[in-house]
Amino acid sequence: GGKMEQGTRDYIVAKTKEMIAVDYCCEEAKAAGEAFLKVAGTAEEDAQMKAYVAELKEDLLSIEELIAFAKSENAVKCFGEDDAREMLKHAEERKAAGEKFCDCEACAAAAAIIDKVETN
């Protein structure tokens, strides 16, 4: 097996499944998550984990990116006007509170994985 502790691996596998189950999870993050799940517990795990975390860091939306998205036509197209407005309000409140990242289900799971890997 990899050098990862079983408890850490279980946590990352669970969070990965959570993330890829989110219907708006970005395709790259989903693909990286699925690739990691395939090799979890094998000798390839560590190498894949590095690539996975690098991908998640790219995909994790900063609060600025979230605000920009929420103001865009795209947000209205994806979520409808009311939800896009709510998203913007929420994002601006989080920024005011000093938060740095988006906290949608996909980003929250990605952040949890990055955090777990980097603090272990």
Side-chain angles (χ1 to χ4, degrees):
K3 292 187 276 294
M4 206 182 286
E5 283 176 24
Q6 189 61 43
T8 303
R9 181 182 301 117
D10 290 346
Y11 178 87
I12 293 169
V13 164
K15 285 286 171 194
T16 298
K17 288 179 176 168
E18 214 172 279
M19 182 187 77
I20 63 183
V22 177
D23 52 6
Y24 51 79
C25 175
C26 91
E27 288 307 316
E28 294 84 359
K30 200 171 272 192
E34 285 166 351
F36 171 74
L37 290 177
K38 280 197 189 92
V39 299
T42 72
E44 291 148 66
E45 176 179 70
D46 291 341
Q48 189 64 50
M49 192 72 239
K50 284 187 185 65
Y52 183 28
V53 169
E55 181 58 51
L56 290 179
K57 284 183 166 173
E58 275 178 40
D59 298 331
L60 187 59
L61 277 191
S62 73
I63 204 74
E64 272 78 19
E65 289 170 320
L66 177 63
I67 288 169
F69 172 71
K71 287 179 175 169
S72 72
E73 275 302 305
N74 218 356
V76 175
K77 236 180 278 171
C78 291
F79 297 102
E81 222 164 286
D82 291 343
D83 285 351
R85 204 176 8 238
E86 277 304 304
M87 185 190 291
L88 179 59
K89 193 173 141 232
H90 175 72
E92 286 175 337
E93 281 167 7
R94 279 181 65 76
K95 185 181 178 178
E99 294 290 345
K100 295 193 171 26
F101 298 105
C102 170
D103 66 336
C104 77
E105 288 171 51
C107 285
I113 293 165
I114 294 165
D115 196 50
K116 188 74 172 171
V117 171
E118 297 195 333
T119 53
N120 258 305

